[in-house]
Amino acid sequence: MFWHFFLLELPRFVLAALTVSIVSVYQQVRSRGALPARPFLQPSVSVLLPGHNEAANLERSIMSMREQTCPPDQIVVVDDGSIDNTLTVARRLQKAGLVDVVRSAGVRGGKSSAANLGLTRCTGDLIIIADADTTYDCDAFERLIMPFSDPSVGAVAGNLGLRNPDHSLATIWQAIQYQISIGLGRQVSDMLGILFIVSGAFGAFRRKALVQCGGWSVGPGEDAELTNKIRRAGWKVRFARNSWGLTDAPETFSQLARQRLRWDRSLIRMRWRRFRVFMKPGDDAFHITNALGTIDILFFQAFLSFSFVIYLVWLVEVYGAFGWIIATVNLIAYSAFGVAGYALALLASPRKGMGRFWIYVFGYGLFNSVFLRAVRLYACFDELIFRHSFDDNYVPRRVRQAARRAGDDL
């Protein structure tokens, strides 16, 4: 009756639990009597902040950067053709000595083009990419750049939480999801060497890796695109679990659905169309971790959304009306699953104040297994059949058309 849960979903949770537990114990044992780590010779750091219509958020984000225990050597702000006074605010901050470089694209070209424009003015060995609506813990930058002490690391993902979790039920459940999927999920992926995303809201790149990969490609999904290119070029991608940035999440379920439709369409566009070469053993750049990471994403995000519908149909076909009772028990199991996952996430990546959401965790299983899966399923079929990611207004039409003419879209 419950084969979908026990055979397809539970093993991954058990793997996550075992991985986090074993590594946690290992780190505790290793730290006993260990010699102090050699000091990390800090490279120069540039912060790149591209934004469109971010006048209301820009100053708060810049002040958060300037309050860091490891302040950046340079802050570069790029105005992506804003129609508000973003450029005016940026230049005022530059006159106050809070911003080092301000550039304007003049017309909107999308985040990728703005980031590439700003990259030409960045002087740091490391480039931190950020959104204008993101703020940071005071030690976030210091913790974010530490993994670069390994010269083979090309990119590091920061941890992300929500700044507006108490606004609505939608934001509360998103806060819980961020804690589980980012705080725990990316930590497990990092431990297994299969981390495939450095968020454009908060992440860092080695300048050499960025230049080697040609910078950001036309979005949407430019975050995943760049991370894939960096991995394909042979660089490691790491996760800094204690480096926290806070961002605003959609405040209604309709806004959330629109956001996730864009993200989930990019899942098919990036993982299946553009980078399924990762699963091709004969490819010159083939690496087993890249193959496993791609399979992991496609299986647990795309395939399970489809197989869950098949499972529900099978229940009704085999058990008739009693199948709906079994489906209800499944939802109760998913709720318990969410509680266990949240407890593990708080253990693996603790964040002050997140304990107040325990009462909402019991409904999170329904939100994750029904609402988000329905959105993801629709997005996957929509992208496979209609390729609507190529018509997403996230990127201006003229830019999308130019990318197609150049052969950048597949």
Side-chain angles (χ1 to χ4, degrees):
M1 292 182 185
F2 303 99
W3 56 266
H4 191 273
F5 178 81
F6 283 103
L7 293 181
L8 301 181
E9 310 232 28
L10 188 61
R12 193 174 193 239
F13 173 78
V14 172
L15 175 63
L18 288 175
T19 302
V20 171
S21 300
I22 291 172
V23 172
S24 178
V25 171
Y26 170 76
Q27 290 176 340
Q28 291 178 22
V29 172
R30 187 181 180 185
S31 64
R32 294 174 184 172
L35 295 174
R38 290 184 298 175
F40 174 40
L41 182 60
Q42 180 184 322
S44 56
V45 177
S46 293
V47 175
L48 176 55
L49 204 161
H52 175 73
N53 291 344
E54 296 288 0
N57 300 313
L58 185 58
E59 183 170 1
R60 177 179 59 183
S61 183
I62 295 297
M63 294 305 299
S64 179
M65 295 175 186
R66 289 301 184 188
E67 294 170 354
Q68 292 293 306
T69 56
C70 178
D73 300 282
Q74 180 192 42
I75 295 180
V76 178
V77 174
V78 182
D79 172 41
D80 182 29
S82 299
I83 57 175
D84 65 359
N85 63 336
T86 297
L87 187 57
T88 302
V89 173
R91 285 177 173 160
R92 173 171 58 81
L93 294 171
Q94 184 181 28
K95 288 181 180 179
L98 298 172
V99 171
D100 299 288
V101 177
V102 175
R103 298 205 69 178
S104 175
V107 294
R108 181 169 172 248
K111 184 176 181 180
S112 297
S113 66
N116 288 327
L117 176 63
L119 180 60
T120 63
R121 295 296 301 274
C122 290
T123 59
D125 299 314
L126 303 180
I127 311 296
I128 295 177
I129 183 77
D131 282 345
D133 65 348
T134 306
T135 55
Y136 314 91
D137 283 2
C138 62
D139 61 350
F141 286 9
E142 182 178 5
R143 293 181 181 275
L144 183 66
I145 67 174
M146 287 305 297
F148 286 105
S149 59
D150 179 351
S152 65
V153 171
V156 178
N159 209 339
L160 282 172
L162 296 193
R163 191 171 42 243
N164 61 336
D166 297 302
H167 189 276
S168 65
L169 184 60
T171 58
I172 290 173
W173 278 341
Q174 286 176 84
I176 295 171
Q177 188 204 23
Y178 272 51
Q179 186 72 34
I180 295 174
S181 65
I182 298 179
L184 172 62
R186 291 186 186 176
Q187 188 174 167
V188 172
S189 296
D190 176 49
M191 292 173 181
L192 298 176
I194 56 173
L195 181 61
F196 268 79
I197 183 68
V198 175
S199 172
F202 184 38
F205 299 90
R206 196 179 295 275
R207 181 187 180 84
K208 182 179 178 181
L210 274 178
V211 173
Q212 178 183 355
C213 296
W216 288 267
S217 300
V218 174
E222 71 280 344
D223 306 344
E225 170 90 357
L226 179 58
T227 311
N228 275 269
K229 289 193 297 184
I230 285 175
R231 289 191 65 102
R232 184 163 169 76
W235 296 93
K236 293 179 181 178
V237 179
R238 300 297 311 276
F239 176 61
R241 69 183 183 95
N242 292 319
S243 176
W244 283 93
L246 298 180
T247 187
D248 290 324
E251 296 175 349
T252 67
F253 286 105
S254 60
Q255 292 172 348
L256 174 60
R258 287 194 294 271
Q259 180 198 65
R260 296 307 170 91
L261 282 173
R262 186 175 73 246
W263 289 4
D264 292 333
R265 287 188 186 113
S266 296
L267 165 69
I268 297 298
R269 181 181 178 181
M270 290 297 124
R271 311 303 178 186
W272 181 246
R273 288 206 183 99
R274 294 180 71 87
F275 287 98
R276 65 172 178 261
V277 67
F278 279 151
M279 298 181 287
K280 193 175 178 182
D283 182 68
D284 291 340
F286 178 81
H287 196 282
I288 188 63
T289 56
N290 288 340
L292 291 176
T294 302
I295 293 170
D296 172 78
I297 292 170
L298 289 173
F299 182 82
F300 287 101
Q301 295 191 34
F303 175 77
L304 284 189
S305 297
F306 175 73
S307 65
F308 187 65
V309 175
I310 299 298
Y311 171 67
L312 293 178
V313 173
W314 176 82
L315 282 180
V316 175
E317 180 68 24
V318 174
Y319 295 101
F322 185 64
W324 293 109
I325 298 177
I326 301 173
T328 302
V329 175
N330 264 280
L331 293 178
I332 296 173
Y334 280 117
S335 295
F337 202 37
V339 172
Y342 191 58
L344 187 59
L346 291 179
L347 176 65
S349 186
R351 178 72 185 171
K352 184 178 179 181
M354 288 300 295
R356 69 185 187 276
F357 297 125
W358 272 110
I359 191 172
Y360 298 97
V361 178
F362 296 94
Y364 169 76
L366 186 66
F367 165 75
N368 189 50
S369 61
V370 177
F371 176 78
L372 291 183
R373 273 189 175 168
V375 172
R376 187 177 300 123
L377 186 64
Y378 176 84
C380 289
F381 276 105
D382 181 63
E383 180 63 17
L384 285 169
I385 298 171
F386 299 108
R387 298 193 173 203
H388 276 160
S389 69
F390 295 93
D391 300 316
D392 197 313
N393 289 329
Y394 178 82
V395 178
R397 180 182 295 274
R398 68 182 184 284
V399 178
R400 298 196 307 267
Q401 291 174 343
R404 281 191 174 186
R405 289 194 296 270
D408 289 341
D409 284 337
L410 299 177

